[in-house]
Amino acid sequence: MSTRSEHQTVPLSVLLKRELANEKIDRPEIVHGQASQSKKGEDYTLLKTECQRIVGDGVTTYSVFALFDGHNGSAAAVYSKENLLNNVLAAMPSDLNRDEWVTALPRALVAGFVKTDKDFQEKAQTSGTTVTFLIIEGWVITVASVGDSRCILESAEGTIYHLSEDHRLECNEEERIRITASGGEVGRLNTGGGAEIGPLRCWPGGLCLSRSIGDMDVGEYIVPVPYVKQVKLSTAGGRIIISSDGVWDALSAEQALDCCRGMLPDAAAAQIVKEALHEKGLRDDTTCIVIDILPQDKPMAPLPPPKKPGKGVFKSMFRKKSSESSSQIDQEFIEPDVVEELFEDGSAMLSERLDTKYPLCNMFRLFMCAVCQVELKPGEGISIHAGSSNPGKLRPWDGPFLCLSCQEKKEAMEGRRPFGDGSSRHSSGSD
């Protein structure tokens, strides 16, 4: 008589369902809210949850939150809101697993920002916008930013992380050096007689920022290449605040977090805007997005002692209380309450930002323009390393490649071809 094998074959469909179920468990709950007070009507937001990496499966989801603070009109902010996400996704290779998708995001964000800027400038509109663009995939947070809107994170144990970089010329020496090295001029507004007033600006054009989308009348030294930072939260969660400069001109990161502690995101965003207006008044559009990243309903590790007084209320929002002792908690879910930094790059050089450490043929399409994704015939593309003053071991025929139009954009951003006559330092400038 035959005996049954101890090892039974499990159908592939069952294994896939188990994997998807595990992926769903390993995801936080995302709760968000926003508030704003308008003066010029140039701030726009994008809030999208339950976006799908694999359309139709209902599991491989991610969320997108973005703030666009326009200047000289709202056209650039509106255009970026409508097109930036699609341009980023178009730069993502297909058929990636979850880890590969997260790894590819920083490069795709750079390509998406540059393409959005290039396409908008072709419309010959002079508006510009700052962008703070956030993608949450599982416990991984990826932020890309140009301009002076900011994104901060407070982890559940009370540590504050700055996930964006301020591109105001007044406070960013590296950007001042980059602009002058590319042929631009940095200085204050000249009122005549040698008197200079106001913040540092880039000339021609008079913009206070060194990076933005749009601003074709200012000069190509103002680049759309974003600072990108990627971190992974512990399963304790955290709170994110994205706000325009109307908030940060009035409140520090600590003040913004403290004034809304214990509040749900909608109320928290409204309170932050209220506090900012109380401090400075309504001088500019003032917008705030608050995002709480909450642990799923499962056993969690006990809280460590607070680092700072007054953090307990916040922490209680991000931990599920359990009557079990720590010795009874399933070890599978015990995790240090830390934020792991995965990626950070703020270089304005496309040859550095579009390069990749992993084989292009495995992830990114070799014979496609790395920015606008147009198909390139063999020999037609121009290497992003062409003309590099420090190529190292790279050769001009090494990819990634750009089409002629995107190569011209790259050269202009690097100051290697002129961009009009611009405007003098006696112009009114823009913020």
Side-chain angles (χ1 to χ4, degrees):
M1 189 171 92
S2 62
T3 60
R4 291 183 60 185
S5 171
E6 294 181 1
H7 302 285
Q8 299 184 19
T9 302
V10 180
L12 177 61
S13 60
V14 174
L15 291 175
L16 289 174
K17 286 180 179 179
R18 287 179 183 174
E19 183 176 347
L20 290 175
N22 289 335
E23 185 169 334
K24 191 168 185 178
I25 290 173
D26 188 31
R27 289 183 173 276
E29 180 183 356
I30 308 295
V31 184
H32 67 275
Q34 69 169 324
S36 64
Q37 285 289 327
S38 178
K39 185 175 179 66
K40 300 177 183 178
E42 296 173 339
D43 278 8
Y44 288 82
T45 60
L46 176 67
L47 314 173
K48 289 176 69 71
T49 59
E50 301 298 319
C51 303
Q52 294 184 357
R53 286 192 290 108
I54 302 174
V55 178
D57 72 0
V59 176
T60 56
T61 58
Y62 61 95
S63 299
V64 178
F65 300 93
L67 173 57
F68 309 90
D69 182 358
H71 46 262
N72 291 341
S74 61
V78 172
Y79 184 86
S80 298
K81 174 180 177 177
E82 293 175 349
N83 294 277
L84 179 54
L85 176 58
N86 288 336
N87 288 337
V88 171
L89 296 179
M92 292 288 287
S94 57
D95 301 322
L96 300 182
N97 64 32
R98 181 178 174 182
D99 290 340
E100 291 171 338
W101 195 88
V102 167
T103 301
L105 261 181
R107 184 183 189 270
L109 282 161
V110 172
F113 270 64
V114 176
K115 175 173 170 53
T116 302
D117 175 78
K118 178 173 173 284
D119 291 349
F120 178 73
Q121 289 197 359
E122 290 174 356
K123 295 181 175 292
Q125 299 187 53
T126 57
S127 172
T129 187
T130 74
V131 180
T132 303
F133 195 87
L134 179 147
I135 295 178
I136 302 174
E137 211 296 342
W139 297 98
V140 176
I141 302 164
T142 309
V143 180
S145 61
V146 292
D148 59 357
S149 296
R150 297 178 195 166
C151 177
I152 63 170
L153 160 71
E154 186 178 39
S155 66
E157 51 84 33
T159 303
I160 298 174
Y161 298 83
H162 293 264
L163 303 185
S164 59
E165 182 170 279
D166 201 328
H167 292 127
R168 285 187 180 182
L169 289 167
E170 189 72 35
C171 60
N172 195 318
E173 182 181 4
E174 288 185 7
E175 288 294 273
R176 296 198 296 268
I177 293 172
R178 177 185 65 79
I179 286 174
T180 54
S182 298
E185 182 181 356
V186 176
R188 305 186 193 281
L189 183 64
N190 193 330
T191 60
E196 295 186 345
I197 61 171
L200 289 174
R201 300 175 184 272
C202 175
W203 306 93
L207 192 67
C208 298
L209 308 172
S210 61
R211 303 195 194 188
S212 68
I213 286 180
D215 290 310
M216 67 170 294
D217 59 327
V218 175
E220 296 277 4
Y221 315 119
I222 308 301
V223 300
V225 182
Y227 168 87
V228 178
K229 188 161 188 173
Q230 189 176 72
V231 300
K232 183 177 182 180
L233 281 176
S234 75
T235 52
R239 167 166 280 183
I240 293 172
I241 298 175
I242 306 172
S243 292
S244 58
D245 61 334
V247 166
W248 305 120
D249 285 344
L251 304 176
S252 67
E254 291 81 2
Q255 288 173 321
L257 288 160
D258 287 342
C259 78
C260 65
R261 202 167 298 284
M263 297 180 182
L264 294 175
D266 268 325
Q271 183 63 29
I272 291 170
V273 170
K274 180 181 177 181
E275 290 288 328
L277 297 183
H278 177 73
E279 290 292 326
K280 293 284 188 178
L282 186 60
R283 299 182 180 182
D284 194 3
D285 295 337
T286 303
T287 302
C288 179
I289 304 169
V290 175
I291 307 148
D292 284 348
I293 302 176
L294 306 169
Q296 290 280 5
D297 195 16
K298 63 182 182 182
M300 303 298 296
L303 275 173
K307 281 189 175 181
K308 300 178 183 178
K311 301 293 183 183
V313 175
F314 172 77
K315 291 175 182 177
S316 67
M317 296 173 59
F318 298 105
R319 286 285 193 176
K320 175 179 170 58
K321 293 182 179 179
S322 173
S323 58
E324 297 177 294
S325 68
S326 60
S327 61
Q328 294 174 307
I329 295 177
D330 190 334
Q331 293 296 314
E332 179 183 355
F333 298 124
I334 294 182
E335 180 179 352
D337 188 14
V338 296
V339 173
E340 179 185 359
E341 296 191 9
L342 304 178
F343 179 91
E344 181 180 18
D345 198 339
S347 170
M349 304 296 289
L350 279 184
S351 58
E352 297 175 6
R353 302 299 299 278
L354 295 180
D355 199 13
T356 175
K357 295 179 180 178
Y358 24 77
L360 283 165
C361 57
N362 288 353
M363 291 192 70
F364 295 101
R365 293 159 285 191
L366 183 58
F367 295 110
M368 301 285 281
C369 173
V371 170
C372 69
Q373 309 307 309
V374 299
E375 187 172 351
L376 301 171
K377 297 177 181 178
E380 188 177 61
I382 304 168
S383 170
I384 60 169
H385 307 294
S388 173
S389 59
N390 185 27
K393 297 180 180 180
L394 296 167
R395 301 161 297 182
W397 54 87
D398 287 332
F401 298 101
L402 302 176
C403 66
L404 178 59
S405 176
C406 289
Q407 172 66 12
E408 291 176 349
K409 172 74 174 176
K410 173 179 176 287
E411 290 179 349
M413 290 192 298
E414 295 172 355
R416 293 197 286 141
R417 71 173 175 87
F419 179 84
D421 294 325
S423 52
S424 72
R425 285 181 60 184
H426 294 278
S427 67
S428 60
S430 55
D431 296 321

